[in-house]
Amino acid sequence: MSGVANPLRGEAELRVGGETYRLRPTFAALVAAEGELGPLFALAERAAAGGLGLGETAALLWHCIDARPEALTRETVGEAVAGAGLVAVTPVLRAVLMQILQGR
């Protein structure tokens, strides 16, 4: 576990393999996500229109995991997102996207 999420800081929590990880959309995390996924505003627009894919969702959340242990793999995160389903992951995704759009 990487700590308890503070929603006032735009943080959220993601369950992966029985562990809970804090998602902290820091500048560095968002720059890395943007480098892979393209402009974050466009990503947020796609999400709002229901056009964000499973891979994009998993990638954004992967980049935002705070204090990511070396044993945690991107594939494991993707499998957790797929296993939980997009409906279950939507509140977590929404928290990250709100942080992107509104800032702190």
Side-chain angles (χ1 to χ4, degrees):
M1 178 157 170
S2 62
V4 178
N6 180 350
L8 297 175
R9 292 183 65 180
E11 298 173 351
E13 293 180 346
L14 179 67
R15 297 272 306 160
V16 177
E19 295 290 328
T20 302
Y21 296 95
R22 177 177 50 211
L23 300 177
R24 181 177 279 172
T26 63
F27 177 75
L30 295 177
V31 167
E34 190 170 52
E36 177 180 344
L37 300 169
L40 295 178
F41 190 79
L43 184 81
E45 286 182 326
R46 285 197 309 278
L52 194 62
L54 180 63
E56 291 173 307
T57 300
L60 178 60
L61 299 180
W62 164 258
H63 286 292
C64 291
I65 295 175
D66 185 45
R68 188 171 53 230
E70 288 186 34
L72 183 65
T73 67
R74 186 168 174 156
E75 182 178 342
T76 304
V77 171
E79 289 294 330
V81 169
L86 290 176
V87 170
V89 176
T90 296
V92 175
L93 178 62
R94 182 179 186 277
V96 171
L97 290 172
M98 292 299 291
Q99 180 65 23
I100 291 169
L101 293 172
Q102 294 180 345
R104 292 188 186 129

Coordinates of all heavy atoms in Angstrom, one line a residue:
M1 N 0.8 -1.2 0.0 CA 0.0 0.0 0.0 C 0.9 1.2 0.0 O 1.9 1.3 0.6 CB -0.9 0.0 1.2 CG -1.8 1.2 1.3 SD -3.2 0.9 2.3 CE -3.8 2.6 2.4
S2 N 0.4 2.2 -0.7 CA 1.2 3.4 -0.8 C 0.7 4.6 0.0 O 1.1 5.7 -0.2 CB 1.3 3.9 -2.3 OG 0.1 4.1 -2.8
G3 N -0.1 4.4 1.0 CA -0.7 5.4 1.8 C -2.2 5.7 1.5 O -2.7 5.2 0.6
V4 N -2.7 6.4 2.4 CA -4.2 6.7 2.3 C -4.3 7.9 1.4 O -3.6 8.9 1.5 CB -4.8 7.0 3.7 CG1 -6.2 7.4 3.6 CG2 -4.6 5.8 4.6
A5 N -5.3 7.8 0.5 CA -5.6 8.9 -0.4 C -6.3 10.1 0.3 O -7.1 9.9 1.2 CB -6.4 8.4 -1.6
N6 N -5.9 11.3 -0.1 CA -6.5 12.5 0.4 C -7.3 13.1 -0.8 O -6.7 13.7 -1.6 CB -5.4 13.4 0.9 CG -6.0 14.7 1.4 OD1 -7.2 15.0 1.3 ND2 -5.2 15.5 2.1
P7 N -8.6 13.0 -0.8 CA -9.4 13.5 -1.9 C -9.2 15.0 -2.0 O -9.4 15.6 -3.2 CB -10.8 13.2 -1.5 CG -10.8 12.1 -0.5 CD -9.4 12.3 0.2
L8 N -8.9 15.7 -1.0 CA -8.7 17.2 -1.1 C -7.5 17.5 -1.9 O -7.4 18.7 -2.4 CB -8.7 17.8 0.3 CG -9.9 17.7 1.2 CD1 -9.7 18.2 2.6 CD2 -11.1 18.3 0.5
R9 N -6.6 16.6 -2.0 CA -5.4 16.8 -2.9 C -5.6 16.2 -4.3 O -4.6 16.1 -5.0 CB -4.2 16.2 -2.2 CG -3.8 16.9 -0.9 CD -2.6 16.3 -0.3 NE -1.4 16.5 -1.2 CZ -0.2 16.1 -1.0 NH1 0.0 15.4 0.1 NH2 0.7 16.3 -1.9
G10 N -6.8 15.7 -4.6 CA -7.0 15.1 -5.9 C -6.6 13.7 -5.9 O -6.4 13.1 -7.0
E11 N -6.3 13.1 -4.8 CA -5.9 11.7 -4.8 C -7.1 10.7 -4.8 O -8.2 11.1 -4.4 CB -5.0 11.4 -3.5 CG -3.7 12.3 -3.5 CD -3.0 12.2 -2.2 OE1 -3.4 11.6 -1.3 OE2 -1.8 12.7 -2.2
A12 N -6.8 9.5 -5.2 CA -7.8 8.4 -5.2 C -7.1 7.1 -4.8 O -5.8 7.1 -4.7 CB -8.5 8.3 -6.5
E13 N -7.8 6.1 -4.7 CA -7.3 4.8 -4.4 C -7.7 3.7 -5.4 O -8.8 3.8 -5.9 CB -7.7 4.3 -3.0 CG -7.2 5.1 -1.9 CD -7.6 4.6 -0.5 OE1 -8.6 3.8 -0.4 OE2 -7.0 5.1 0.5
L14 N -6.7 2.8 -5.7 CA -7.0 1.8 -6.7 C -6.6 0.4 -6.1 O -5.5 0.3 -5.5 CB -6.2 2.0 -8.0 CG -6.3 1.0 -9.1 CD1 -7.7 1.0 -9.7 CD2 -5.3 1.2 -10.2
R15 N -7.5 -0.5 -6.1 CA -7.2 -1.9 -5.6 C -6.6 -2.7 -6.7 O -7.1 -2.8 -7.8 CB -8.4 -2.6 -5.1 CG -9.1 -1.9 -3.9 CD -8.6 -2.3 -2.6 NE -8.7 -3.7 -2.3 CZ -8.0 -4.3 -1.3 NH1 -7.2 -3.5 -0.5 NH2 -8.0 -5.5 -1.1
V16 N -5.4 -3.3 -6.4 CA -4.7 -4.2 -7.3 C -4.2 -5.4 -6.6 O -3.4 -5.2 -5.6 CB -3.5 -3.4 -8.0 CG1 -2.8 -4.4 -9.0 CG2 -4.0 -2.2 -8.7
G17 N -4.7 -6.5 -6.9 CA -4.1 -7.8 -6.3 C -4.3 -7.8 -4.8 O -3.3 -8.2 -4.1
G18 N -5.3 -7.3 -4.2 CA -5.5 -7.3 -2.8 C -4.9 -6.1 -2.1 O -5.0 -6.0 -0.9
E19 N -4.1 -5.3 -2.8 CA -3.5 -4.1 -2.2 C -4.2 -2.9 -2.7 O -4.7 -2.8 -3.7 CB -2.0 -4.1 -2.6 CG -1.2 -5.2 -2.0 CD -1.0 -5.2 -0.5 OE1 -0.9 -4.1 0.0 OE2 -0.9 -6.2 0.1
T20 N -4.1 -1.8 -1.8 CA -4.6 -0.5 -2.2 C -3.5 0.4 -2.5 O -2.6 0.6 -1.6 CB -5.5 0.0 -1.1 OG1 -6.6 -0.9 -0.9 CG2 -6.1 1.3 -1.5
Y21 N -3.5 1.1 -3.6 CA -2.5 2.0 -4.0 C -3.1 3.4 -4.1 O -4.2 3.6 -4.6 CB -1.8 1.6 -5.3 CG -1.1 0.3 -5.2 CD1 -1.7 -0.9 -5.6 CD2 0.2 0.2 -4.7 CE1 -1.1 -2.1 -5.4 CE2 0.8 -1.0 -4.5 CZ 0.2 -2.1 -4.9 OH 0.8 -3.3 -4.8
R22 N -2.3 4.4 -3.7 CA -2.8 5.8 -3.8 C -2.4 6.3 -5.2 O -1.3 6.1 -5.6 CB -2.1 6.6 -2.7 CG -2.4 8.1 -2.8 CD -1.8 8.9 -1.7 NE -0.4 8.7 -1.6 CZ 0.3 8.8 -0.5 NH1 -0.3 9.1 0.6 NH2 1.6 8.5 -0.5
L23 N -3.4 6.9 -5.8 CA -3.1 7.6 -7.1 C -3.0 9.1 -6.8 O -3.8 9.7 -6.2 CB -4.3 7.4 -8.0 CG -4.7 5.9 -8.3 CD1 -5.9 5.9 -9.2 CD2 -3.5 5.3 -9.0
R24 N -1.8 9.6 -7.2 CA -1.5 11.0 -6.9 C -1.1 11.6 -8.3 O 0.0 11.3 -8.8 CB -0.4 11.1 -5.9 CG 0.0 12.6 -5.7 CD 1.1 12.7 -4.6 NE 0.5 12.5 -3.3 CZ 1.2 12.4 -2.2 NH1 2.5 12.4 -2.2 NH2 0.6 12.3 -1.1
P25 N -2.0 12.3 -8.9 CA -1.7 12.9 -10.2 C -0.8 14.1 -10.1 O -1.2 15.2 -10.3 CB -3.1 13.3 -10.8 CG -3.9 13.5 -9.5 CD -3.4 12.6 -8.5
T26 N 0.5 13.8 -9.9 CA 1.5 14.8 -9.8 C 1.9 15.4 -11.2 O 1.5 14.7 -12.2 CB 2.8 14.3 -9.2 OG1 3.3 13.3 -10.0 CG2 2.6 13.8 -7.8
F27 N 2.6 16.5 -11.3 CA 3.0 17.0 -12.5 C 3.8 16.0 -13.3 O 3.5 15.7 -14.5 CB 3.8 18.3 -12.3 CG 4.4 18.9 -13.6 CD1 3.6 19.6 -14.5 CD2 5.7 18.7 -13.9 CE1 4.1 20.1 -15.6 CE2 6.2 19.2 -15.1 CZ 5.4 19.9 -15.9
A28 N 4.7 15.3 -12.7 CA 5.6 14.3 -13.3 C 4.7 13.2 -13.9 O 5.0 12.7 -15.0 CB 6.7 13.8 -12.4
A29 N 3.8 12.7 -13.1 CA 2.9 11.6 -13.5 C 2.1 12.0 -14.7 O 1.9 11.2 -15.6 CB 2.0 11.2 -12.3
L30 N 1.5 13.2 -14.7 CA 0.7 13.7 -15.8 C 1.5 13.9 -17.0 O 1.0 13.6 -18.1 CB -0.1 14.9 -15.3 CG -1.1 14.6 -14.2 CD1 -1.8 15.9 -13.8 CD2 -2.1 13.5 -14.6
V31 N 2.7 14.4 -16.9 CA 3.6 14.6 -18.1 C 3.9 13.2 -18.7 O 3.8 13.1 -19.9 CB 4.9 15.4 -17.7 CG1 5.9 15.3 -18.8 CG2 4.5 16.8 -17.3
A32 N 4.2 12.2 -17.9 CA 4.4 10.9 -18.4 C 3.2 10.3 -19.1 O 3.3 9.7 -20.2 CB 4.9 10.0 -17.3
A33 N 2.0 10.5 -18.5 CA 0.8 10.0 -19.1 C 0.5 10.8 -20.4 O 0.2 10.1 -21.4 CB -0.4 10.2 -18.1
E34 N 0.8 12.1 -20.4 CA 0.5 12.8 -21.6 C 1.5 12.4 -22.7 O 1.1 12.4 -23.9 CB 0.7 14.3 -21.3 CG 0.3 15.2 -22.5 CD 0.2 16.7 -22.0 OE1 1.2 17.2 -21.5 OE2 -0.8 17.3 -22.2
G35 N 2.7 12.1 -22.4 CA 3.7 11.6 -23.3 C 3.3 10.4 -24.0 O 3.6 10.1 -25.2
E36 N 2.6 9.5 -23.3 CA 2.1 8.3 -23.9 C 0.7 8.4 -24.5 O 0.5 7.8 -25.6 CB 2.0 7.2 -22.8 CG 1.5 5.9 -23.2 CD 1.4 4.9 -22.2 OE1 2.0 5.0 -21.1 OE2 0.7 3.9 -22.4
L37 N -0.2 9.1 -23.9 CA -1.6 9.1 -24.3 C -2.0 10.3 -25.1 O -3.1 10.4 -25.7 CB -2.5 9.0 -23.1 CG -2.3 7.8 -22.2 CD1 -3.0 7.9 -20.9 CD2 -2.7 6.6 -23.0
G38 N -1.1 11.3 -25.2 CA -1.5 12.6 -26.0 C -2.0 13.6 -25.0 O -2.0 13.4 -23.8
P39 N -2.5 14.7 -25.5 CA -2.9 15.8 -24.7 C -4.0 15.4 -23.6 O -5.0 14.7 -24.0 CB -3.5 16.8 -25.7 CG -2.8 16.5 -26.9 CD -2.6 15.1 -26.9
L40 N -3.8 15.8 -22.4 CA -4.7 15.4 -21.3 C -6.1 16.0 -21.5 O -7.1 15.4 -21.1 CB -4.1 15.7 -20.0 CG -2.8 14.9 -19.7 CD1 -2.3 15.4 -18.3 CD2 -3.1 13.4 -19.7
F41 N -6.2 17.2 -22.0 CA -7.5 17.8 -22.2 C -8.3 16.9 -23.2 O -9.5 16.7 -23.0 CB -7.4 19.2 -22.7 CG -8.7 19.9 -22.6 CD1 -9.3 20.4 -21.4 CD2 -9.5 20.1 -23.8 CE1 -10.5 21.1 -21.4 CE2 -10.7 20.7 -23.8 CZ -11.2 21.2 -22.5
A42 N -7.7 16.5 -24.3 CA -8.4 15.6 -25.2 C -8.7 14.3 -24.6 O -9.8 13.7 -24.9 CB -7.5 15.4 -26.5
L43 N -7.9 13.8 -23.7 CA -8.2 12.6 -23.0 C -9.4 12.7 -22.1 O -10.3 11.9 -22.1 CB -7.0 12.2 -22.1 CG -7.1 10.8 -21.4 CD1 -6.8 9.7 -22.3 CD2 -6.1 10.8 -20.2
A44 N -9.5 13.8 -21.4 CA -10.7 14.1 -20.6 C -11.9 14.3 -21.4 O -13.0 13.8 -21.0 CB -10.4 15.4 -19.8
E45 N -11.8 14.9 -22.6 CA -12.9 15.0 -23.5 C -13.4 13.7 -24.0 O -14.6 13.4 -24.0 CB -12.6 15.9 -24.7 CG -12.5 17.4 -24.4 CD -12.2 18.2 -25.6 OE1 -11.5 17.8 -26.5 OE2 -12.7 19.4 -25.7
R46 N -12.5 12.8 -24.3 CA -12.9 11.5 -24.8 C -13.6 10.7 -23.6 O -14.5 10.0 -23.9 CB -11.7 10.7 -25.3 CG -11.2 11.1 -26.6 CD -10.2 10.1 -27.3 NE -9.1 9.6 -26.5 CZ -8.0 10.3 -26.3 NH1 -7.8 11.5 -26.9 NH2 -7.0 9.8 -25.6
A47 N -13.0 10.9 -22.4 CA -13.7 10.2 -21.3 C -15.1 10.7 -21.1 O -16.0 9.9 -20.8 CB -12.8 10.4 -20.0
A48 N -15.3 12.0 -21.2 CA -16.6 12.6 -21.0 C -17.6 12.1 -22.0 O -18.8 12.0 -21.8 CB -16.5 14.1 -21.0
A49 N -17.1 11.9 -23.2 CA -17.9 11.4 -24.3 C -18.1 9.9 -24.3 O -18.7 9.3 -25.2 CB -17.4 11.9 -25.7
G50 N -17.5 9.2 -23.3 CA -17.5 7.7 -23.3 C -16.6 7.0 -24.2 O -16.8 5.9 -24.6
G51 N -15.6 7.8 -24.7 CA -14.7 7.2 -25.7 C -13.3 6.8 -25.2 O -12.4 6.6 -26.0
L52 N -13.2 6.7 -23.9 CA -11.9 6.4 -23.3 C -11.8 4.8 -23.2 O -12.7 4.2 -22.6 CB -11.7 7.0 -21.9 CG -10.3 7.0 -21.4 CD1 -9.3 7.8 -22.3 CD2 -10.3 7.6 -20.0
G53 N -10.8 4.3 -23.8 CA -10.6 2.8 -23.8 C -10.0 2.3 -22.5 O -9.5 3.0 -21.7
L54 N -10.1 1.0 -22.4 CA -9.6 0.3 -21.3 C -8.1 0.5 -21.1 O -7.6 0.7 -20.1 CB -9.9 -1.2 -21.4 CG -9.4 -2.1 -20.3 CD1 -10.1 -1.8 -19.0 CD2 -9.7 -3.6 -20.6
G55 N -7.4 0.4 -22.2 CA -5.9 0.6 -22.2 C -5.5 2.0 -21.8 O -4.6 2.2 -21.0
E56 N -6.2 3.0 -22.3 CA -6.0 4.4 -21.9 C -6.2 4.6 -20.4 O -5.5 5.3 -19.7 CB -6.8 5.3 -22.7 CG -6.4 5.4 -24.2 CD -7.4 6.2 -25.0 OE1 -8.6 6.0 -24.9 OE2 -6.9 7.1 -25.7
T57 N -7.3 4.0 -20.0 CA -7.7 4.1 -18.5 C -6.6 3.5 -17.7 O -6.1 4.2 -16.7 CB -9.0 3.4 -18.3 OG1 -10.0 4.1 -19.0 CG2 -9.4 3.5 -16.8
A58 N -6.2 2.3 -18.0 CA -5.1 1.6 -17.2 C -3.8 2.4 -17.3 O -3.1 2.5 -16.3 CB -4.9 0.2 -17.7
A59 N -3.5 2.9 -18.4 CA -2.2 3.7 -18.6 C -2.2 5.0 -17.7 O -1.3 5.3 -17.0 CB -2.0 4.1 -20.0
L60 N -3.3 5.7 -17.8 CA -3.4 6.9 -16.9 C -3.3 6.6 -15.5 O -2.5 7.2 -14.7 CB -4.7 7.7 -17.2 CG -5.0 8.9 -16.4 CD1 -3.9 9.9 -16.6 CD2 -6.3 9.5 -16.7
L61 N -4.0 5.6 -15.0 CA -3.9 5.2 -13.6 C -2.6 4.7 -13.2 O -2.0 5.0 -12.2 CB -5.0 4.2 -13.3 CG -6.5 4.6 -13.5 CD1 -7.4 3.5 -13.2 CD2 -6.8 5.9 -12.8
W62 N -1.9 3.9 -14.1 CA -0.6 3.4 -13.9 C 0.4 4.6 -13.6 O 1.2 4.5 -12.7 CB -0.1 2.6 -15.1 CG 1.4 2.4 -15.1 CD1 2.3 3.0 -15.9 CD2 2.1 1.4 -14.4 NE1 3.5 2.5 -15.6 CE2 3.4 1.5 -14.7 CE3 1.7 0.4 -13.4 CZ2 4.4 0.7 -14.2 CZ3 2.7 -0.4 -12.9 CH2 4.0 -0.3 -13.2
H63 N 0.3 5.6 -14.4 CA 1.3 6.7 -14.3 C 1.0 7.5 -13.0 O 2.0 8.1 -12.4 CB 1.2 7.7 -15.5 CG 1.8 7.1 -16.7 ND1 3.2 6.9 -16.8 CD2 1.3 6.7 -17.9 CE1 3.4 6.4 -18.0 NE2 2.3 6.3 -18.7
C64 N -0.2 7.4 -12.4 CA -0.5 8.2 -11.3 C -0.3 7.4 -9.9 O -0.5 8.0 -8.9 CB -2.0 8.6 -11.3 SG -2.2 9.9 -12.6
I65 N 0.1 6.1 -10.0 CA 0.3 5.4 -8.8 C 1.5 6.0 -8.1 O 2.6 6.0 -8.6 CB 0.5 3.9 -9.0 CG1 -0.8 3.3 -9.6 CG2 0.9 3.1 -7.8 CD1 -0.7 1.8 -10.0
D66 N 1.3 6.4 -6.8 CA 2.3 7.0 -6.0 C 3.1 5.9 -5.3 O 2.6 4.9 -4.9 CB 1.6 7.9 -4.9 CG 2.6 8.7 -4.1 OD1 3.6 9.2 -4.7 OD2 2.4 8.7 -2.9
A67 N 4.4 6.1 -5.2 CA 5.3 5.2 -4.5 C 5.1 3.8 -5.0 O 4.9 2.8 -4.3 CB 5.1 5.2 -3.0
R68 N 5.1 3.6 -6.4 CA 4.9 2.3 -7.0 C 6.0 1.4 -6.7 O 7.1 1.6 -7.0 CB 4.7 2.6 -8.5 CG 4.3 1.4 -9.3 CD 4.0 1.7 -10.7 NE 5.0 2.4 -11.4 CZ 4.9 3.6 -12.1 NH1 3.7 4.1 -12.2 NH2 5.9 4.1 -12.7
P69 N 5.7 0.2 -6.1 CA 6.7 -0.8 -5.8 C 7.2 -1.4 -7.1 O 6.4 -1.5 -8.0 CB 6.0 -1.8 -4.9 CG 4.6 -1.6 -5.1 CD 4.4 -0.2 -5.6
E70 N 8.4 -1.8 -7.1 CA 9.0 -2.5 -8.2 C 8.3 -3.7 -8.6 O 8.2 -4.1 -9.8 CB 10.5 -2.8 -8.0 CG 11.4 -1.5 -8.0 CD 12.8 -1.8 -8.0 OE1 13.3 -2.9 -8.5 OE2 13.6 -1.1 -7.4
A71 N 7.7 -4.4 -7.6 CA 7.0 -5.7 -7.9 C 5.7 -5.5 -8.7 O 5.2 -6.4 -9.3 CB 6.8 -6.4 -6.6
L72 N 5.2 -4.3 -8.6 CA 3.9 -4.0 -9.3 C 4.2 -3.8 -10.7 O 5.0 -2.9 -11.1 CB 3.2 -2.8 -8.6 CG 1.9 -2.4 -9.2 CD1 0.8 -3.5 -8.9 CD2 1.4 -1.1 -8.6
T73 N 3.5 -4.5 -11.6 CA 3.7 -4.3 -13.0 C 2.5 -3.6 -13.7 O 1.4 -3.6 -13.1 CB 3.9 -5.7 -13.7 OG1 2.7 -6.4 -13.7 CG2 5.0 -6.5 -13.1
R74 N 2.8 -3.0 -14.8 CA 1.7 -2.4 -15.5 C 0.6 -3.4 -16.0 O -0.5 -3.1 -16.0 CB 2.3 -1.7 -16.7 CG 1.3 -0.8 -17.5 CD 2.0 0.0 -18.4 NE 1.1 0.7 -19.2 CZ 1.3 1.8 -19.9 NH1 2.5 2.4 -19.7 NH2 0.4 2.4 -20.6
E75 N 1.1 -4.6 -16.3 CA 0.1 -5.6 -16.7 C -0.8 -6.0 -15.6 O -2.0 -6.2 -15.8 CB 0.9 -6.9 -17.2 CG 0.0 -8.0 -17.7 CD 0.7 -9.2 -18.2 OE1 1.9 -9.1 -18.5 OE2 0.1 -10.2 -18.3
T76 N -0.3 -6.0 -14.4 CA -1.1 -6.3 -13.2 C -2.1 -5.2 -13.0 O -3.3 -5.5 -12.7 CB -0.2 -6.5 -11.9 OG1 0.8 -7.5 -12.2 CG2 -1.0 -6.9 -10.7
V77 N -1.7 -4.0 -13.2 CA -2.7 -2.9 -13.0 C -3.7 -3.0 -14.1 O -4.9 -2.8 -13.8 CB -1.9 -1.5 -13.1 CG1 -2.9 -0.4 -13.2 CG2 -1.0 -1.4 -11.9
G78 N -3.4 -3.3 -15.3 CA -4.3 -3.4 -16.4 C -5.3 -4.6 -16.2 O -6.5 -4.4 -16.4
E79 N -4.8 -5.7 -15.7 CA -5.6 -6.8 -15.3 C -6.6 -6.4 -14.2 O -7.8 -6.9 -14.2 CB -4.8 -8.0 -14.9 CG -4.1 -8.7 -16.1 CD -5.0 -9.3 -17.1 OE1 -6.1 -9.7 -16.8 OE2 -4.6 -9.3 -18.3
A80 N -6.1 -5.7 -13.2 CA -7.0 -5.3 -12.1 C -8.1 -4.3 -12.6 O -9.3 -4.5 -12.2 CB -6.2 -4.6 -11.0
V81 N -7.8 -3.4 -13.5 CA -8.8 -2.5 -14.1 C -9.8 -3.3 -14.9 O -11.0 -3.2 -14.8 CB -8.1 -1.4 -15.0 CG1 -9.1 -0.7 -15.8 CG2 -7.3 -0.5 -14.1
A82 N -9.3 -4.3 -15.7 CA -10.2 -5.1 -16.5 C -11.1 -6.0 -15.6 O -12.3 -6.2 -15.9 CB -9.4 -5.9 -17.5
G83 N -10.4 -6.5 -14.6 CA -11.2 -7.4 -13.7 C -12.2 -6.7 -12.9 O -13.3 -7.3 -12.6
A84 N -12.0 -5.5 -12.5 CA -12.9 -4.7 -11.7 C -14.1 -4.2 -12.6 O -15.2 -4.1 -12.2 CB -12.3 -3.5 -11.0
G85 N -13.7 -4.0 -13.9 CA -14.7 -3.4 -14.8 C -14.6 -1.9 -14.8 O -14.3 -1.3 -13.8
L86 N -15.0 -1.3 -16.0 CA -14.9 0.1 -16.1 C -15.9 0.8 -15.2 O -15.6 1.9 -14.7 CB -15.1 0.5 -17.6 CG -14.0 0.1 -18.5 CD1 -14.4 0.5 -20.0 CD2 -12.7 0.8 -18.1
V87 N -17.0 0.2 -14.9 CA -18.0 0.8 -14.1 C -17.4 1.0 -12.7 O -17.5 2.1 -12.0 CB -19.3 0.0 -14.0 CG1 -20.2 0.6 -12.9 CG2 -20.0 0.1 -15.4
A88 N -16.7 0.0 -12.2 CA -16.1 0.0 -10.8 C -14.9 1.0 -10.8 O -14.7 1.6 -9.7 CB -15.7 -1.3 -10.4
V89 N -14.2 1.2 -11.9 CA -13.0 2.0 -11.9 C -13.4 3.5 -12.2 O -12.6 4.4 -12.0 CB -12.0 1.4 -12.9 CG1 -10.8 2.3 -13.1 CG2 -11.6 0.1 -12.5
T90 N -14.6 3.7 -12.7 CA -15.0 5.1 -13.1 C -14.8 6.1 -12.0 O -14.3 7.2 -12.3 CB -16.4 5.1 -13.7 OG1 -16.4 4.3 -14.9 CG2 -16.9 6.4 -14.0
P91 N -15.2 5.8 -10.8 CA -15.0 6.9 -9.7 C -13.5 7.2 -9.5 O -13.2 8.4 -9.3 CB -15.6 6.2 -8.5 CG -16.6 5.2 -9.0 CD -16.0 4.7 -10.2
V92 N -12.7 6.2 -9.6 CA -11.2 6.5 -9.5 C -10.8 7.3 -10.7 O -10.0 8.3 -10.5 CB -10.5 5.2 -9.4 CG1 -9.0 5.4 -9.4 CG2 -10.9 4.4 -8.2
L93 N -11.2 6.9 -11.9 CA -10.8 7.7 -13.1 C -11.3 9.1 -13.0 O -10.6 10.1 -13.4 CB -11.4 7.0 -14.3 CG -11.1 7.6 -15.7 CD1 -9.6 7.8 -16.0 CD2 -11.8 6.9 -16.8
R94 N -12.6 9.3 -12.5 CA -13.2 10.6 -12.4 C -12.4 11.5 -11.5 O -12.1 12.7 -11.8 CB -14.6 10.5 -11.9 CG -15.3 11.8 -11.8 CD -16.8 11.6 -11.3 NE -17.5 12.8 -11.3 CZ -17.5 13.7 -10.4 NH1 -16.7 13.6 -9.3 NH2 -18.2 14.8 -10.5
A95 N -11.9 10.9 -10.4 CA -11.1 11.7 -9.4 C -9.8 12.2 -10.1 O -9.4 13.4 -9.9 CB -10.8 10.9 -8.2
V96 N -9.2 11.4 -10.9 CA -7.9 11.8 -11.5 C -8.2 12.8 -12.6 O -7.5 13.8 -12.7 CB -7.2 10.5 -12.1 CG1 -6.0 10.9 -13.0 CG2 -6.7 9.6 -11.0
L97 N -9.3 12.6 -13.4 CA -9.6 13.5 -14.4 C -10.0 14.9 -13.8 O -9.7 15.9 -14.4 CB -10.7 13.0 -15.3 CG -10.3 11.8 -16.2 CD1 -11.5 11.2 -16.9 CD2 -9.3 12.2 -17.2
M98 N -10.7 14.9 -12.7 CA -11.1 16.1 -12.1 C -9.8 16.9 -11.7 O -9.8 18.1 -11.8 CB -12.0 15.9 -10.9 CG -13.4 15.4 -11.3 SD -14.3 16.5 -12.4 CE -14.6 17.8 -11.2
Q99 N -8.9 16.2 -11.2 CA -7.6 16.8 -10.8 C -6.9 17.4 -12.0 O -6.4 18.5 -11.9 CB -6.7 15.8 -10.1 CG -5.4 16.4 -9.6 CD -5.5 17.5 -8.6 OE1 -6.5 17.5 -7.9 NE2 -4.5 18.3 -8.5
I100 N -6.9 16.7 -13.1 CA -6.3 17.2 -14.3 C -7.0 18.5 -14.8 O -6.4 19.5 -15.1 CB -6.4 16.2 -15.5 CG1 -5.5 15.0 -15.1 CG2 -6.1 16.8 -16.8 CD1 -5.7 13.8 -16.0
L101 N -8.4 18.5 -14.7 CA -9.1 19.7 -15.3 C -9.2 20.8 -14.3 O -9.2 22.0 -14.7 CB -10.6 19.2 -15.6 CG -10.7 18.2 -16.8 CD1 -12.1 17.7 -16.9 CD2 -10.2 18.9 -18.1
Q102 N -9.3 20.6 -13.0 CA -9.4 21.6 -12.0 C -8.2 22.0 -11.3 O -8.1 23.1 -10.8 CB -10.5 21.2 -11.0 CG -11.9 21.1 -11.5 CD -12.9 20.6 -10.4 OE1 -12.5 20.2 -9.4 NE2 -14.1 20.8 -10.8
G103 N -7.2 21.2 -11.3 CA -6.0 21.4 -10.5 C -6.2 21.4 -9.0 O -7.3 20.9 -8.6
R104 N -5.3 21.9 -8.3 CA -5.4 21.8 -6.8 C -6.2 23.0 -6.3 O -6.1 24.0 -6.6 CB -4.0 21.7 -6.2 CG -3.4 20.4 -6.5 CD -2.1 20.2 -5.8 NE -1.6 19.0 -6.3 CZ -0.3 18.9 -6.7 NH1 0.5 19.8 -6.7 NH2 0.1 17.7 -7.2

